[in-house]
Amino acid sequence: MRTRHMVLPLEEYARLDGFGGANDVFIRAATDLGARAVRGALRTAGLRATDVDLLLFTSVTGIATPSIDARLVGRLGLRPDIKRLPVFGLGCVAGAAGIARLHDYLRGWPDHVAVLLSVELCTLTFQRADSSPANLIATGLFGDGAAAVVACGAGRSAQGPAVVATRSHLYPDTGHAMGWEVGSSGFRVVLDPVVPELIRRNLAGDVRGFLDEHGLKTKDVTAWICHPGGPRILHTITETLDLPAGALDLTWRHLAEAGNLSSSSVLHVLRDTLARRPPPPGSHGLLLAMGPGFCCELVLLRW
């Protein structure tokens, strides 16, 4: 892990006045970064702001009412009748879950355009008075970032991979493994050492069962688009799924260059897959992430 992006200059973090001050920064910065991300995604897709029918916004590092998506409508020139869905609490899994929920929506509205926006400003959640191992690990692991995905229904022409199917799985009695403890100083991270064991115990069966429903095996997957939870997590995923050497290279690269950006990270890995290692036409990829709950989200893609 070499570099991290931070929403503020390092010296300004000491001047943040508790949860309120950090959250004020979150609202301003998330609105600015979100506008840039959505504009860029629409430009790449060759679409206008008025083409967007649904905007799903996700974050777990700040709160706002009116929500960030509402603040972006006028700023981006989105239609006043746009459907909005702000989502809080899914954490790292929300990038994959967000794509899955766009897919659900577009199956019912095949002529529509939907946008997923993720903004995660993890450095604003740092707890200066917390010397626990979880807080120290999270401080080194997490960074700040944003990402946006434009998805089109089957009734519209579009470039990029198609979503074939999705799968969600919430594991019983694992709510203690990951999340926030919310107090007067803001969000205090919860990271239980049991997380790798939960992955080892559950992920292989979920992935193989999901692929089997579509006549596929792990060897048929040409692109593994995986959330970079951390080094131990990635080693566990590689071993549990028996992935070939180099399967998670782009995930490891992202972890080194930007860290774990919570829900934004898997979307960055998807971008890098499209740009650096586009799979052959007709082949399949699997986008996966895990997060608080404890849960996993799987998205089967076809190029």
Side-chain angles (χ1 to χ4, degrees):
M1 294 183 282
R2 298 190 298 269
T3 56
R4 296 291 178 273
H5 299 286
M6 305 172 73
V7 71
L8 293 174
L10 185 60
E11 62 274 10
E12 292 190 21
Y13 284 87
R15 295 197 287 269
L16 291 177
D17 183 21
F19 183 33
N23 200 65
D24 287 343
V25 173
F26 171 84
I27 293 171
R28 293 194 300 270
T31 305
D32 291 341
L33 287 170
R36 288 170 55 190
V38 173
R39 284 195 187 105
L42 288 173
R43 183 168 58 248
T44 299
L47 295 170
R48 301 166 299 175
T50 52
D51 293 321
V52 180
D53 301 287
L54 169 73
L55 174 60
L56 190 159
F57 171 74
T58 187
S59 181
V60 75
T61 54
I63 55 175
T65 306
S67 53
I68 301 300
D69 48 288
R71 297 166 192 260
L72 289 174
V73 172
R75 181 164 176 168
L76 292 174
L78 300 167
R79 301 196 317 264
D81 67 341
I82 190 171
K83 301 175 180 71
R84 298 182 296 105
L85 183 60
V87 176
F88 179 89
L90 285 176
C92 297
V93 80
I99 290 177
R101 300 295 79 78
L102 294 194
H103 173 66
D104 294 342
Y105 172 81
L106 292 170
R107 290 182 68 186
W109 298 93
D111 294 323
H112 280 200
V113 174
V115 173
L116 166 65
L117 171 62
S118 161
V119 182
E120 300 286 14
L121 306 181
C122 303
T123 63
L124 294 176
T125 70
F126 175 61
Q127 300 291 302
R128 290 193 292 272
D130 180 7
S131 59
S132 68
N135 188 51
L136 297 178
I137 291 170
T139 300
L141 181 62
F142 287 90
D144 296 341
V149 174
V150 176
C152 298
R156 302 181 66 110
S157 61
Q159 297 180 341
V163 175
V164 177
T166 70
R167 171 68 54 81
S168 304
H169 200 139
L170 180 66
Y171 305 117
D173 303 317
T174 60
H176 63 281
M178 182 182 293
W180 294 129
E181 290 180 354
V182 184
S184 59
S185 62
F187 301 130
R188 180 179 180 273
V189 70
V190 175
L191 288 175
D192 195 300
V194 76
V195 169
E197 179 56 31
L198 292 176
I199 295 171
R200 189 174 290 109
R201 203 159 57 216
N202 296 287
L203 185 62
D206 288 339
V207 168
R208 289 169 183 149
F210 181 51
L211 293 175
D212 186 63
E213 290 179 6
H214 300 278
L216 299 168
K217 305 296 182 185
T218 54
K219 65 180 177 60
D220 300 316
V221 176
T222 58
W224 293 90
I225 304 158
C226 181
H227 170 72
R232 285 187 64 199
I233 301 298
L234 294 183
H235 285 306
T236 301
I237 291 172
T238 300
E239 295 167 5
T240 300
L241 297 179
D242 193 23
L243 298 182
L248 300 185
D249 278 357
L250 291 177
T251 294
W252 280 104
R253 180 188 181 109
H254 172 77
L255 183 63
E257 294 180 349
N260 185 336
L261 309 182
S262 192
S263 65
S264 297
S265 270
V266 77
L267 307 181
H268 282 242
V269 178
L270 175 61
R271 174 205 61 190
D272 293 345
T273 301
L274 295 171
R276 299 174 184 271
R277 293 189 181 178
S283 65
H284 289 87
L286 188 67
L287 186 148
L288 67 152
M290 287 146 285
F294 186 71
C295 64
C296 79
E297 194 83 27
L298 308 174
V299 180
L300 182 62
L301 302 172
R302 183 177 59 245
W303 265 262

